[in-house]
Amino acid sequence: MTYGMLIDLSKCIGCRACQVACKQWNDLPAEETSVGPDFTNPQRRSAYTWTTIDFVTAEVNGRTVATFTKSGCMHCLEPACESVCIVGAIQRQENGAVTIDHDKCIGCRYCQLACPFGVPKYEYDQVVPRMRKCTMCYDRIVEGLEPACAATCPSGAIQFGERDELLRLAKQRIAEGNGRYIDHVYGEHEAGGTAVLYISPVPLDLTALNTDVTTESVPGFTWKAMRQLPALVGSVAVLSLGLMAYSKRRAELEAAQKGGGAQ
Ligand code: SF4
Ligand code: SF4
């Protein structure tokens, strides 16, 4: 079964409750932020801010239209990030969540280069930086709970459920909406299909969604590009093995310290 989320941009009121819930559940620290154009704040995602609400305003038929786009990991059906992770830290789980094992990650940043949505973020402030990203609250889903953002959204803009059912619902809302929505379910085909789906009342270029993304599965492209760099891939692989050994040793030391032992 593939779970997913249907994000209805006509329902988002830009309250950012989902942002706060995400930080709270995942124990992510607060960061200094600033207000950008159109009041977007924070202006971009980071290793500690996994979802943002991007405000976009535009003139449509002489009217100012504002949309709020909840952006984050799309949980691709064929994730490019997973396909390039040389230590297997990123995995698409059987329930559709694309997770990252922080302890396995060596911070090579291949996933950052491969992701068509710019999702994995680097811990620039850490001595040994690794990548962080949304996991669709995998730890909540396996306990029968919704992701924190979906559970918190007061306007029902984020709906969690089985992807097939959400896709059916998205098409039904478009068909019965009397022109309320544009006729496109974003994520049905983008990047080969994603578990996170969007419907929108305004053309997608008036939202923060990436309208340039291919509709083909991305892992094929990324490996074609990687094969052009055999020497680089080889050196990174060697470096990675060293970093893996270092990460393992560090985890052992941390565990020993927590347990009060000495190594
Ligand atoms: S959106 Fe990016 S990080 Fe998320 S699953 Fe797809 S490729 Fe991976
Ligand atoms: S909680 Fe819901 S309404 Fe509020 S910003 Fe997030 S998606 Fe929009």
Side-chain angles (χ1 to χ4, degrees):
M1 178 195 304
T2 294
Y3 283 118
M5 289 190 278
L6 172 60
I7 300 177
D8 184 337
L9 297 185
S10 77
K11 294 190 177 196
C12 178
I13 54 173
C15 67
R16 302 187 182 107
C18 49
Q19 261 180 358
V20 176
C22 175
K23 285 236 176 202
Q24 226 168 20
W25 180 259
N26 293 296
D27 206 14
L28 300 170
E31 295 177 284
E32 198 167 317
T33 64
S34 58
V35 181
D38 295 332
F39 302 105
T40 297
N41 183 11
Q43 296 182 48
R44 56 191 68 84
R45 293 185 298 272
S46 73
Y48 311 115
T49 299
W50 297 348
T51 188
T52 47
I53 305 299
D54 299 306
F55 288 33
V56 178
T57 53
E59 289 293 316
V60 179
N61 299 330
R63 273 189 327 125
T64 301
V65 176
T67 54
F68 311 111
T69 309
K70 179 198 180 295
S71 309
C73 181
M74 297 292 289
H75 296 278
C76 304
L77 304 185
E78 296 177 65
C81 57
E82 178 191 45
S83 77
V84 297
C85 181
I86 49 185
V87 294
I90 299 183
Q91 286 194 330
R92 182 174 184 271
Q93 307 292 338
E94 58 188 21
N95 65 10
V98 180
T99 59
I100 180 162
D101 184 334
H102 200 231
D103 290 331
K104 275 192 186 170
C105 176
I106 53 168
C108 68
R109 298 171 71 182
Y110 275 12
C111 54
Q112 190 173 24
L113 292 174
C115 173
F117 301 101
V119 169
K121 297 294 182 196
Y122 194 57
E123 293 174 324
Y124 286 101
D125 60 331
Q126 297 294 320
V127 178
V128 183
R130 292 166 290 187
M131 305 304 291
R132 310 287 302 271
K133 73 167 205 71
C134 159
T135 62
M136 208 199 278
C137 287
Y138 179 74
D139 52 346
R140 289 175 61 94
I141 298 174
V142 293
E143 295 297 331
L145 299 169
E146 300 176 287
C149 58
T152 304
C153 178
S155 65
I158 310 170
Q159 191 163 344
F160 175 72
E162 284 185 43
R163 182 183 187 267
D164 287 349
E165 175 56 19
L166 294 176
L167 187 55
R168 190 198 61 73
L169 183 65
K171 290 182 175 176
Q172 184 182 345
R173 275 195 208 162
I174 291 171
E176 296 175 358
N178 287 325
R180 179 185 171 105
Y181 300 99
I182 59 155
D183 188 12
H184 186 112
V185 182
Y186 185 88
E188 180 178 12
H189 300 298
E190 279 75 9
T194 59
V196 177
L197 304 168
Y198 289 82
I199 51 176
S200 169
V202 297
L204 295 180
D205 56 359
L206 299 183
T207 71
L209 295 172
N210 177 2
T211 51
D212 291 330
V213 73
T214 174
T215 52
E216 288 178 47
S217 155
V218 181
F221 291 123
T222 44
W223 273 113
K224 265 183 220 153
M226 299 268 287
R227 271 198 289 270
Q228 305 303 313
L229 306 167
L232 175 63
V233 171
S235 350
V236 171
V238 170
L239 179 64
S240 302
L241 289 173
L243 286 170
M244 268 175 87
Y246 172 75
S247 290
K248 188 161 175 281
R249 178 67 182 149
R250 184 189 54 192
E252 284 168 1
L253 284 171
E254 281 172 4
Q257 275 165 4
K258 275 186 198 145
Q263 294 260 342

